[in-house]
Amino acid sequence: MSAPSTAIESNLVENRVFPPSEALVKAARISGMAGYEALRAEADRDFEGFWARLARENLQWTKPFTRTLDESNAPFYQWFADGELNASANCLDRHMGTAVENKTAIIFEADDGAVTKVTYKELLARVSQFANALKAHGVEKGDRVLIYMPMGVEGVVAMQACARIGATHSVVFGGFSAKALNERIIDAGAVAVITANYQVRGGKELPLKAIVDEGLAMGGCECVRSIFVYQRTATACAMVPGRDKTWDEALAGQSTECPPTPVGAEHPLFILYTSGSTGKPKGVQHSTGGYLLWAKLTMDWSFDLKPEDVFWCTADIGWVTGHSYVTYGPLAAGATEIIFEGIPTYPNAGRFWQMIERHKCTVFYTAPTAIRSLIKAADSDAAVHPKNWDLSSLRILGSVGEPINPEAWMWYYRHVGGERCPVIDTWWQTETGGHIMNPLPGATPLVPGSCTLPLPGIYTAIVDETGQEMPNGSGGMLVIKRPWPSMIRTIWNDPERFKKSYFPDELKGYYLAGDGAVRSVDRGYFRVTGRIDDVLNVSGHRMGTMEIESALVAKSDLVAEAAVVGRPDDLTGEAICAFVVLKRPRPVGDEAKQIAKELRDWVAKEIGPIAKPKDIRFGDNLPKTRSGKIMRRLLRSLAKGESITQDTSTLENPAILDQLAQNN
Ligand code: PRX
């Protein structure tokens, strides 16, 4: 990995600054920059004392911790390790007997617009009953359970029920393939799978259980003893007697009370697979205590959550954003939250705005990709422009998943937020568990396109390859200098890879995020420019280039060699571009189109539709140095459609560039 060039400095011309309104400052939990600085100073003064105070104030412990941070086996840090708690009790039971007990926890809007509301008390009963069902099927503390569910109340119930009995869940996004499921089931050693017969998105029924069956049939999944199937639709799906149970069968006769199982603070709450720079996805392991502390606290800090707020995070529970800001954070904070089953463009691209109006949403948290696609839709059809709906309930807007370009930021701020709602651009990752850098609604002056400053207690910096800090205005690698409670604990089954990926020797023990960033000269604000490793960000979804390359060459009857790079895309942030050498003469015309389609379908089967390359280009060879190394930087230029100005004298086969410059 190399530090990005300082060329990004020149892009950093953003003079617009939006200070928080007086009303926001006055009402905010962290009020004004003085409030922010005071918390930072507290962490500077007494790092462990700061975190211990927050952990005591924000979580309910069945056994209090006596040690805050254990660094004896760094980078395998432990937080609050001798304390015990239960994550589900901290999301549900803690609210019983308080004003939150009969408050709406979840407003669920189905794909077809049907709405169901669930109170905290009802949710506790549903989680407890399903937890009892899991126990009755032999699922125990420490077991792993794979969840492959649509967006809905039951997905949250499934996750919370696992947490309640101390089982570690691993949620797989419903857009991943049978093969991806198979690999995750095997790696996690899952004893049970929780799924649904179908998911409903954009008016279509898409199978889930059939994909689970296909994944299991690929072999190696003997660990799975039970499959629980929520019947989302009336359509039947194949069931294996003995192994498979419908949701209703599983719940039958089970009590709606289930005492939460206390676990150690370091007990793995979940494993979530994410792409890295090698072929195999990494099982990011999170703790219970530290993770939950940050999920709860960032709800309070980043969104300045109030009891009357109606919070809506549009992320799927299959991604970390859905874990922290759908399943755990909002419930731990006692919020009312919206969960949406469908897609932003069905029945039309006004769906989000219509739902904000309908449910009087106050805090709305979504991804730049969604915003960009809704801008495009509103530009071409005035009927779906947000101005057609009453969005006056909104107080705060959030953004997550990828850099938000200042144009999209301004549109979001103006047309959705009515120039009244701060845009909270949150930078973080699967590995960080929760927000790391973002403005605070009642404190931080906003600059479009910048995630501004780290949260109190978090120490981010920009360094060169030797760990030396860069001056403001100079680009470099983003690192986190000190451990924090919600950090990744290890990579499941691969502690060595954990150390190598995130704590390389040259970086003095700093956590390496894998992103490039630059700080502004005037304010020292951070702007994250994107990945500096072989990871792409397509519509906010993280994809490894090597993962896609491995999938392509796995089609061994056809593909001899493949190289995958990203290129900028107005809508999806980055687009996947694959350069492929076939085991037959380079195809042209219709044949090229047909083989490209075949390869896209193949990648969808190997990984999932989200990994399908947008461009596929065929060559007789790939551009290589005389020592046989593929020159990816040239491929990146070709993918962007740039003419090659770089030095190609070390290239074995310069003629290949012209061939690869042609798109199919
Ligand atoms: O490159 C950064 C980008 O998304 C990566 C993390 O992806 P993932 O683990 O899937 O988590 C996504 C949701 C937290 C980061 O390494 N990223 C995420 N948020 C931002 C961002 N890039 C710029 N600005 C952001 N706000």
Side-chain angles (χ1 to χ4, degrees):
M1 180 182 316
S2 59
S5 83
T6 48
I8 51 177
E9 283 169 53
S10 57
N11 294 334
L12 199 72
V13 190
E14 180 52 77
N15 298 319
R16 290 168 289 198
V17 180
F18 300 85
S21 69
E22 252 176 58
L24 269 171
V25 175
K26 223 168 134 204
R29 202 178 248 108
I30 301 179
S31 180
M33 285 309 268
Y36 167 73
E37 294 297 351
L39 274 169
R40 269 175 71 144
E42 183 190 341
D44 284 348
R45 234 178 8 252
D46 177 9
F47 184 67
E48 289 197 35
F50 169 81
W51 286 114
R53 173 178 76 75
L54 294 170
R56 289 191 186 107
E57 286 174 4
N58 286 280
L59 295 180
Q60 290 188 346
W61 298 85
T62 44
K63 179 172 169 247
F65 59 89
T66 61
R67 279 197 73 179
T68 302
L69 172 62
D70 181 351
E71 302 183 88
S72 58
N73 191 24
F76 299 93
Y77 296 98
Q78 300 210 331
W79 287 88
F80 322 117
D82 62 347
E84 288 184 3
L85 75 170
N86 179 279
S88 159
N90 269 280
C91 292
L92 301 170
D93 308 57
R94 75 184 298 169
H95 303 305
M96 295 307 112
T98 75
V100 178
E101 178 173 316
N102 292 308
K103 180 176 173 177
T104 300
I106 297 174
I107 302 171
F108 171 65
E109 182 164 320
D111 189 65
D112 66 2
V115 172
T116 327
K117 293 186 181 178
V118 185
T119 67
Y120 271 89
K121 196 172 175 179
E122 288 160 354
L123 189 60
L124 171 61
R126 286 170 73 164
V127 168
S128 299
Q129 197 178 21
F130 193 67
N132 282 328
L134 289 174
K135 280 209 267 191
H137 285 81
V139 180
E140 291 177 358
K141 177 176 170 184
D143 284 344
R144 272 83 54 210
V145 175
L146 192 122
I147 298 178
Y148 190 59
M149 288 286 270
M151 278 302 282
V153 177
E154 291 71 20
V156 173
V157 167
M159 293 167 79
Q160 287 277 348
C162 288
R164 195 159 187 88
I165 63 170
T168 300
H169 58 68
S170 185
V171 185
V172 177
F173 174 60
F176 278 112
S177 68
K179 174 103 185 291
L181 264 175
N182 172 273
E183 288 164 0
R184 285 156 177 76
I185 288 171
I186 295 171
D187 190 69
V191 303
V193 177
I194 308 174
T195 186
N197 60 341
Y198 284 86
Q199 59 178 334
V200 186
R201 287 165 71 81
K204 293 196 196 85
E205 272 194 38
L206 307 163
L208 286 176
K209 169 64 161 55
I211 296 175
V212 171
D213 286 341
E214 201 186 326
L216 290 174
M218 288 173 173
C221 301
E222 292 73 24
C223 46
V224 175
R225 297 190 302 257
S226 316
I227 299 185
F228 300 93
V229 186
Y230 170 61
Q231 281 171 301
R232 173 63 192 93
T233 68
T235 315
C237 67
M239 298 287 279
V240 176
R243 188 196 67 180
D244 303 353
K245 293 267 156 23
T246 66
W247 193 263
D248 293 341
E249 283 164 2
L251 291 179
Q254 297 299 337
S255 159
T256 52
E257 279 176 32
C258 172
T261 304
V263 299
E266 283 296 315
H267 183 75
L269 179 62
F270 65 87
I271 304 166
L272 183 57
Y273 287 86
T274 189
S275 296
S277 45
T278 64
K280 199 171 162 273
K282 310 187 257 202
V284 172
Q285 180 182 319
H286 275 288
S287 71
T288 300
Y291 170 80
L292 196 67
L293 168 64
W294 205 226
K296 148 80 168 64
L297 201 56
T298 47
M299 285 295 300
D300 289 344
W301 284 1
S302 304
F303 301 121
D304 193 32
L305 198 77
K306 305 279 191 242
E308 58 281 6
D309 270 325
V310 176
F311 177 77
W312 183 14
C313 165
T314 66
D316 193 283
I317 53 167
W319 308 110
V320 74
T321 310
H323 281 58
S324 304
Y325 302 106
V326 176
T327 300
Y328 290 109
L331 297 179
T336 293
E337 66 168 323
I338 298 169
I339 295 186
F340 175 43
E341 177 175 42
I343 56 173
T345 48
Y346 178 82
N348 60 54
R351 184 71 183 261
F352 277 1
W353 324 132
Q354 182 204 33
M355 283 182 62
I356 290 170
E357 177 185 280
R358 183 178 192 190
H359 303 298
K360 301 204 168 31
C361 171
T362 59
V363 182
F364 179 64
Y365 189 33
T366 196
T369 283
I371 299 165
R372 286 193 298 264
S373 75
L374 298 178
I375 295 174
K376 199 171 162 212
D379 281 350
S380 60
D381 178 5
V384 296
H385 192 281
K387 68 181 177 209
N388 298 294
W389 286 274
D390 176 5
L391 306 182
S392 60
S393 57
L394 287 171
R395 297 194 308 116
I396 288 165
L397 300 175
S399 172
V400 57
E402 51 185 317
I404 179 164
N405 45 311
E407 300 72 35
W409 193 104
M410 284 307 302
W411 189 91
Y412 195 30
Y413 181 72
R414 255 192 208 131
H415 299 292
V416 183
E419 299 188 9
R420 156 189 97 249
C421 310
V423 174
I424 308 301
D425 177 7
T426 61
W427 179 87
W428 60 294
Q429 310 176 294
T430 304
E431 293 86 342
T432 69
H435 301 159
I436 292 293
M437 296 196 284
N438 53 261
L440 300 175
T444 323
L446 309 169
V447 170
S450 166
C451 60
T452 72
L453 296 167
L455 290 171
I458 304 282
Y459 296 82
T460 48
I462 297 175
V463 301
D464 66 12
E465 291 97 328
T466 63
Q468 202 59 36
E469 271 188 56
M470 306 296 284
N472 287 358
S474 297
M477 304 190 287
L478 179 62
V479 296
I480 307 176
K481 288 161 61 175
R482 302 181 80 162
W484 66 102
S486 67
M487 68 193 296
I488 174 177
R489 292 306 193 262
T490 187
I491 293 175
W492 184 259
N493 281 339
D494 206 346
E496 271 314 304
R497 189 173 173 199
F498 165 75
K499 276 209 274 199
K500 259 179 61 191
S501 308
Y502 302 111
F503 295 93
D505 291 339
E506 319 77 80
L507 290 187
K508 310 174 176 171
Y510 295 169
Y511 167 86
L512 177 68
D515 276 332
V518 59
R519 298 183 74 162
S520 65
V521 176
D522 50 352
R523 294 171 180 268
Y525 274 11
F526 287 78
R527 192 164 65 89
V528 176
T529 48
R531 301 289 306 193
I532 48 173
D533 53 9
D534 294 319
V535 171
L536 306 181
N537 192 326
V538 183
S539 300
H541 298 155
R542 194 163 143 178
M543 303 296 331
T545 53
M546 305 260 275
E547 212 176 324
I548 306 168
E549 286 167 14
S550 309
L552 284 166
V553 295
K555 184 136 187 66
S556 53
D557 56 328
L558 195 59
V559 177
E561 211 175 2
V564 169
V565 298
R567 66 161 168 77
D569 183 281
D570 284 348
L571 217 55
T572 57
E574 271 186 300
I576 302 169
C577 188
F579 294 87
V580 177
V581 181
L582 297 180
K583 287 184 174 168
R584 60 168 90 161
R586 172 175 176 260
V588 288
D590 284 347
E591 192 195 1
K593 285 204 177 70
Q594 187 256 316
I595 297 180
K597 178 178 181 310
E598 199 179 324
L599 291 178
R600 279 193 194 98
D601 292 345
W602 171 264
V603 172
K605 258 190 118 51
E606 286 286 295
I607 305 174
I610 51 173
K612 279 187 186 181
K614 188 157 183 185
D615 298 345
I616 297 188
R617 301 192 193 179
F618 299 104
D620 294 323
N621 207 333
L622 296 173
K624 288 182 188 156
T625 59
R626 282 176 231 284
S627 59
K629 199 166 171 281
I630 297 173
M631 293 190 72
R632 285 169 186 278
R633 110 188 119 76
L634 294 180
L635 290 178
R636 278 192 279 269
S637 299
L638 290 174
K640 277 193 227 168
E642 291 172 354
S643 48
I644 303 292
T645 52
Q646 295 109 317
D647 176 18
T648 54
S649 58
T650 55
L651 214 56
E652 160 97 14
N653 48 354
I656 207 71
L657 296 177
D658 284 339
Q659 200 180 60
L660 293 171
Q662 295 158 33
N663 210 339
N664 294 296

mmCIF file with all atom_site columns, all heavy atoms in Angstrom, residues 561-577:
data_model
loop_
_atom_site.group_PDB
_atom_site.id
_atom_site.type_symbol
_atom_site.label_atom_id
_atom_site.label_alt_id
_atom_site.label_comp_id
_atom_site.label_asym_id
_atom_site.label_entity_id
_atom_site.label_seq_id
_atom_site.pdbx_PDB_ins_code
_atom_site.Cartn_x
_atom_site.Cartn_y
_atom_site.Cartn_z
_atom_site.occupancy
_atom_site.B_iso_or_equiv
_atom_site.pdbx_formal_charge
_atom_site.auth_seq_id
_atom_site.auth_comp_id
_atom_site.auth_asym_id
_atom_site.auth_atom_id
_atom_site.pdbx_PDB_model_num
ATOM 1   N N   . GLU A 1 561 ? -7.183  -15.207 -17.177 1.00 0.00 ? 561 GLU A N   1
ATOM 2   C CA  . GLU A 1 561 ? -6.616  -14.225 -16.261 1.00 0.00 ? 561 GLU A CA  1
ATOM 3   C C   . GLU A 1 561 ? -7.576  -13.044 -16.149 1.00 0.00 ? 561 GLU A C   1
ATOM 4   O O   . GLU A 1 561 ? -8.276  -12.718 -17.111 1.00 0.00 ? 561 GLU A O   1
ATOM 5   C CB  . GLU A 1 561 ? -5.289  -13.725 -16.830 1.00 0.00 ? 561 GLU A CB  1
ATOM 6   C CG  . GLU A 1 561 ? -4.304  -13.341 -15.790 1.00 0.00 ? 561 GLU A CG  1
ATOM 7   C CD  . GLU A 1 561 ? -2.949  -12.958 -16.406 1.00 0.00 ? 561 GLU A CD  1
ATOM 8   O OE1 . GLU A 1 561 ? -2.800  -12.968 -17.644 1.00 0.00 ? 561 GLU A OE1 1
ATOM 9   O OE2 . GLU A 1 561 ? -2.074  -12.629 -15.623 1.00 0.00 ? 561 GLU A OE2 1
ATOM 10  N N   . ALA A 1 562 ? -7.604  -12.418 -14.983 1.00 0.00 ? 562 ALA A N   1
ATOM 11  C CA  . ALA A 1 562 ? -8.496  -11.264 -14.826 1.00 0.00 ? 562 ALA A CA  1
ATOM 12  C C   . ALA A 1 562 ? -7.875  -10.270 -13.862 1.00 0.00 ? 562 ALA A C   1
ATOM 13  O O   . ALA A 1 562 ? -7.201  -10.656 -12.912 1.00 0.00 ? 562 ALA A O   1
ATOM 14  C CB  . ALA A 1 562 ? -9.850  -11.712 -14.294 1.00 0.00 ? 562 ALA A CB  1
ATOM 15  N N   . ALA A 1 563 ? -8.095  -8.996  -14.131 1.00 0.00 ? 563 ALA A N   1
ATOM 16  C CA  . ALA A 1 563 ? -7.674  -7.946  -13.197 1.00 0.00 ? 563 ALA A CA  1
ATOM 17  C C   . ALA A 1 563 ? -8.845  -6.983  -13.041 1.00 0.00 ? 563 ALA A C   1
ATOM 18  O O   . ALA A 1 563 ? -9.476  -6.601  -14.024 1.00 0.00 ? 563 ALA A O   1
ATOM 19  C CB  . ALA A 1 563 ? -6.449  -7.216  -13.738 1.00 0.00 ? 563 ALA A CB  1
ATOM 20  N N   . VAL A 1 564 ? -9.121  -6.635  -11.802 1.00 0.00 ? 564 VAL A N   1
ATOM 21  C CA  . VAL A 1 564 ? -10.279 -5.789  -11.525 1.00 0.00 ? 564 VAL A CA  1
ATOM 22  C C   . VAL A 1 564 ? -9.815  -4.483  -10.884 1.00 0.00 ? 564 VAL A C   1
ATOM 23  O O   . VAL A 1 564 ? -8.992  -4.496  -9.964  1.00 0.00 ? 564 VAL A O   1
ATOM 24  C CB  . VAL A 1 564 ? -11.271 -6.526  -10.590 1.00 0.00 ? 564 VAL A CB  1
ATOM 25  C CG1 . VAL A 1 564 ? -12.354 -5.597  -10.073 1.00 0.00 ? 564 VAL A CG1 1
ATOM 26  C CG2 . VAL A 1 564 ? -11.898 -7.713  -11.323 1.00 0.00 ? 564 VAL A CG2 1
ATOM 27  N N   . VAL A 1 565 ? -10.333 -3.380  -11.383 1.00 0.00 ? 565 VAL A N   1
ATOM 28  C CA  . VAL A 1 565 ? -10.022 -2.076  -10.783 1.00 0.00 ? 565 VAL A CA  1
ATOM 29  C C   . VAL A 1 565 ? -11.330 -1.281  -10.670 1.00 0.00 ? 565 VAL A C   1
ATOM 30  O O   . VAL A 1 565 ? -12.348 -1.666  -11.240 1.00 0.00 ? 565 VAL A O   1
ATOM 31  C CB  . VAL A 1 565 ? -9.001  -1.256  -11.625 1.00 0.00 ? 565 VAL A CB  1
ATOM 32  C CG1 . VAL A 1 565 ? -7.666  -1.969  -11.726 1.00 0.00 ? 565 VAL A CG1 1
ATOM 33  C CG2 . VAL A 1 565 ? -9.563  -0.954  -13.013 1.00 0.00 ? 565 VAL A CG2 1
ATOM 34  N N   . GLY A 1 566 ? -11.257 -0.185  -9.934  1.00 0.00 ? 566 GLY A N   1
ATOM 35  C CA  . GLY A 1 566 ? -12.426 0.680   -9.825  1.00 0.00 ? 566 GLY A CA  1
ATOM 36  C C   . GLY A 1 566 ? -12.231 1.904   -10.704 1.00 0.00 ? 566 GLY A C   1
ATOM 37  O O   . GLY A 1 566 ? -11.109 2.275   -11.027 1.00 0.00 ? 566 GLY A O   1
ATOM 38  N N   . ARG A 1 567 ? -13.337 2.482   -11.137 1.00 0.00 ? 567 ARG A N   1
ATOM 39  C CA  . ARG A 1 567 ? -13.258 3.786   -11.789 1.00 0.00 ? 567 ARG A CA  1
ATOM 40  C C   . ARG A 1 567 ? -14.361 4.658   -11.208 1.00 0.00 ? 567 ARG A C   1
ATOM 41  O O   . ARG A 1 567 ? -15.395 4.141   -10.762 1.00 0.00 ? 567 ARG A O   1
ATOM 42  C CB  . ARG A 1 567 ? -13.374 3.665   -13.300 1.00 0.00 ? 567 ARG A CB  1
ATOM 43  C CG  . ARG A 1 567 ? -14.719 3.171   -13.784 1.00 0.00 ? 567 ARG A CG  1
ATOM 44  C CD  . ARG A 1 567 ? -14.903 3.514   -15.256 1.00 0.00 ? 567 ARG A CD  1
ATOM 45  N NE  . ARG A 1 567 ? -16.036 2.808   -15.813 1.00 0.00 ? 567 ARG A NE  1
ATOM 46  C CZ  . ARG A 1 567 ? -17.309 3.146   -15.615 1.00 0.00 ? 567 ARG A CZ  1
ATOM 47  N NH1 . ARG A 1 567 ? -17.612 4.163   -14.822 1.00 0.00 ? 567 ARG A NH1 1
ATOM 48  N NH2 . ARG A 1 567 ? -18.290 2.461   -16.173 1.00 0.00 ? 567 ARG A NH2 1
ATOM 49  N N   . PRO A 1 568 ? -14.158 5.969   -11.171 1.00 0.00 ? 568 PRO A N   1
ATOM 50  C CA  . PRO A 1 568 ? -15.172 6.833   -10.579 1.00 0.00 ? 568 PRO A CA  1
ATOM 51  C C   . PRO A 1 568 ? -16.486 6.731   -11.345 1.00 0.00 ? 568 PRO A C   1
ATOM 52  O O   . PRO A 1 568 ? -16.486 6.569   -12.567 1.00 0.00 ? 568 PRO A O   1
ATOM 53  C CB  . PRO A 1 568 ? -14.581 8.243   -10.728 1.00 0.00 ? 568 PRO A CB  1
ATOM 54  C CG  . PRO A 1 568 ? -13.142 8.049   -11.069 1.00 0.00 ? 568 PRO A CG  1
ATOM 55  C CD  . PRO A 1 568 ? -13.001 6.706   -11.696 1.00 0.00 ? 568 PRO A CD  1
ATOM 56  N N   . ASP A 1 569 ? -17.592 6.783   -10.617 1.00 0.00 ? 569 ASP A N   1
ATOM 57  C CA  . ASP A 1 569 ? -18.916 6.722   -11.251 1.00 0.00 ? 569 ASP A CA  1
ATOM 58  C C   . ASP A 1 569 ? -19.801 7.758   -10.558 1.00 0.00 ? 569 ASP A C   1
ATOM 59  O O   . ASP A 1 569 ? -19.848 7.815   -9.333  1.00 0.00 ? 569 ASP A O   1
ATOM 60  C CB  . ASP A 1 569 ? -19.504 5.314   -11.076 1.00 0.00 ? 569 ASP A CB  1
ATOM 61  C CG  . ASP A 1 569 ? -20.845 5.168   -11.786 1.00 0.00 ? 569 ASP A CG  1
ATOM 62  O OD1 . ASP A 1 569 ? -21.867 5.634   -11.233 1.00 0.00 ? 569 ASP A OD1 1
ATOM 63  O OD2 . ASP A 1 569 ? -20.856 4.609   -12.889 1.00 0.00 ? 569 ASP A OD2 1
ATOM 64  N N   . ASP A 1 570 ? -20.494 8.545   -11.364 1.00 0.00 ? 570 ASP A N   1
ATOM 65  C CA  . ASP A 1 570 ? -21.306 9.636   -10.813 1.00 0.00 ? 570 ASP A CA  1
ATOM 66  C C   . ASP A 1 570 ? -22.358 9.158   -9.838  1.00 0.00 ? 570 ASP A C   1
ATOM 67  O O   . ASP A 1 570 ? -22.708 9.847   -8.893  1.00 0.00 ? 570 ASP A O   1
ATOM 68  C CB  . ASP A 1 570 ? -22.032 10.380  -11.941 1.00 0.00 ? 570 ASP A CB  1
ATOM 69  C CG  . ASP A 1 570 ? -21.081 11.290  -12.678 1.00 0.00 ? 570 ASP A CG  1
ATOM 70  O OD1 . ASP A 1 570 ? -19.960 11.487  -12.158 1.00 0.00 ? 570 ASP A OD1 1
ATOM 71  O OD2 . ASP A 1 570 ? -21.450 11.772  -13.766 1.00 0.00 ? 570 ASP A OD2 1
ATOM 72  N N   . LEU A 1 571 ? -22.892 7.986   -10.085 1.00 0.00 ? 571 LEU A N   1
ATOM 73  C CA  . LEU A 1 571 ? -24.011 7.511   -9.281  1.00 0.00 ? 571 LEU A CA  1
ATOM 74  C C   . LEU A 1 571 ? -23.565 6.599   -8.148  1.00 0.00 ? 571 LEU A C   1
ATOM 75  O O   . LEU A 1 571 ? -23.953 6.764   -6.998  1.00 0.00 ? 571 LEU A O   1
ATOM 76  C CB  . LEU A 1 571 ? -24.981 6.758   -10.201 1.00 0.00 ? 571 LEU A CB  1
ATOM 77  C CG  . LEU A 1 571 ? -26.454 6.933   -9.914  1.00 0.00 ? 571 LEU A CG  1
ATOM 78  C CD1 . LEU A 1 571 ? -26.824 8.410   -9.896  1.00 0.00 ? 571 LEU A CD1 1
ATOM 79  C CD2 . LEU A 1 571 ? -27.271 6.205   -10.971 1.00 0.00 ? 571 LEU A CD2 1
ATOM 80  N N   . THR A 1 572 ? -22.724 5.632   -8.486  1.00 0.00 ? 572 THR A N   1
ATOM 81  C CA  . THR A 1 572 ? -22.378 4.610   -7.495  1.00 0.00 ? 572 THR A CA  1
ATOM 82  C C   . THR A 1 572 ? -21.062 4.903   -6.774  1.00 0.00 ? 572 THR A C   1
ATOM 83  O O   . THR A 1 572 ? -20.598 4.078   -5.993  1.00 0.00 ? 572 THR A O   1
ATOM 84  C CB  . THR A 1 572 ? -22.289 3.216   -8.155  1.00 0.00 ? 572 THR A CB  1
ATOM 85  O OG1 . THR A 1 572 ? -21.321 3.283   -9.215  1.00 0.00 ? 572 THR A OG1 1
ATOM 86  C CG2 . THR A 1 572 ? -23.621 2.781   -8.730  1.00 0.00 ? 572 THR A CG2 1
ATOM 87  N N   . GLY A 1 573 ? -20.476 6.070   -7.012  1.00 0.00 ? 573 GLY A N   1
ATOM 88  C CA  . GLY A 1 573 ? -19.203 6.411   -6.367  1.00 0.00 ? 573 GLY A CA  1
ATOM 89  C C   . GLY A 1 573 ? -18.051 5.783   -7.127  1.00 0.00 ? 573 GLY A C   1
ATOM 90  O O   . GLY A 1 573 ? -17.256 6.447   -7.761  1.00 0.00 ? 573 GLY A O   1
ATOM 91  N N   . GLU A 1 574 ? -17.999 4.446   -7.073  1.00 0.00 ? 574 GLU A N   1
ATOM 92  C CA  . GLU A 1 574 ? -17.030 3.725   -7.888  1.00 0.00 ? 574 GLU A CA  1
ATOM 93  C C   . GLU A 1 574 ? -17.784 2.660   -8.672  1.00 0.00 ? 574 GLU A C   1
ATOM 94  O O   . GLU A 1 574 ? -18.829 2.185   -8.226  1.00 0.00 ? 574 GLU A O   1
ATOM 95  C CB  . GLU A 1 574 ? -15.997 3.033   -6.995  1.00 0.00 ? 574 GLU A CB  1
ATOM 96  C CG  . GLU A 1 574 ? -14.802 3.893   -6.675  1.00 0.00 ? 574 GLU A CG  1
ATOM 97  C CD  . GLU A 1 574 ? -13.737 3.121   -5.906  1.00 0.00 ? 574 GLU A CD  1
ATOM 98  O OE1 . GLU A 1 574 ? -14.031 2.627   -4.813  1.00 0.00 ? 574 GLU A OE1 1
ATOM 99  O OE2 . GLU A 1 574 ? -12.611 3.032   -6.407  1.00 0.00 ? 574 GLU A OE2 1
ATOM 100 N N   . ALA A 1 575 ? -17.230 2.289   -9.830  1.00 0.00 ? 575 ALA A N   1
ATOM 101 C CA  . ALA A 1 575 ? -17.813 1.189   -10.593 1.00 0.00 ? 575 ALA A CA  1
ATOM 102 C C   . ALA A 1 575 ? -16.726 0.141   -10.801 1.00 0.00 ? 575 ALA A C   1
ATOM 103 O O   . ALA A 1 575 ? -15.535 0.461   -10.859 1.00 0.00 ? 575 ALA A O   1
ATOM 104 C CB  . ALA A 1 575 ? -18.335 1.694   -11.933 1.00 0.00 ? 575 ALA A CB  1
ATOM 105 N N   . ILE A 1 576 ? -17.167 -1.107  -10.898 1.00 0.00 ? 576 ILE A N   1
ATOM 106 C CA  . ILE A 1 576 ? -16.213 -2.217  -11.054 1.00 0.00 ? 576 ILE A CA  1
ATOM 107 C C   . ILE A 1 576 ? -15.899 -2.405  -12.532 1.00 0.00 ? 576 ILE A C   1
ATOM 108 O O   . ILE A 1 576 ? -16.795 -2.528  -13.363 1.00 0.00 ? 576 ILE A O   1
ATOM 109 C CB  . ILE A 1 576 ? -16.817 -3.528  -10.499 1.00 0.00 ? 576 ILE A CB  1
ATOM 110 C CG1 . ILE A 1 576 ? -17.201 -3.360  -9.026  1.00 0.00 ? 576 ILE A CG1 1
ATOM 111 C CG2 . ILE A 1 576 ? -15.868 -4.697  -10.706 1.00 0.00 ? 576 ILE A CG2 1
ATOM 112 C CD1 . ILE A 1 576 ? -18.047 -4.503  -8.462  1.00 0.00 ? 576 ILE A CD1 1
ATOM 113 N N   . CYS A 1 577 ? -14.612 -2.436  -12.848 1.00 0.00 ? 577 CYS A N   1
ATOM 114 C CA  . CYS A 1 577 ? -14.180 -2.616  -14.225 1.00 0.00 ? 577 CYS A CA  1
ATOM 115 C C   . CYS A 1 577 ? -13.240 -3.822  -14.273 1.00 0.00 ? 577 CYS A C   1
ATOM 116 O O   . CYS A 1 577 ? -12.232 -3.846  -13.561 1.00 0.00 ? 577 CYS A O   1
ATOM 117 C CB  . CYS A 1 577 ? -13.476 -1.332  -14.655 1.00 0.00 ? 577 CYS A CB  1
ATOM 118 S SG  . CYS A 1 577 ? -13.073 -1.296  -16.375 1.00 0.00 ? 577 CYS A SG  1
#
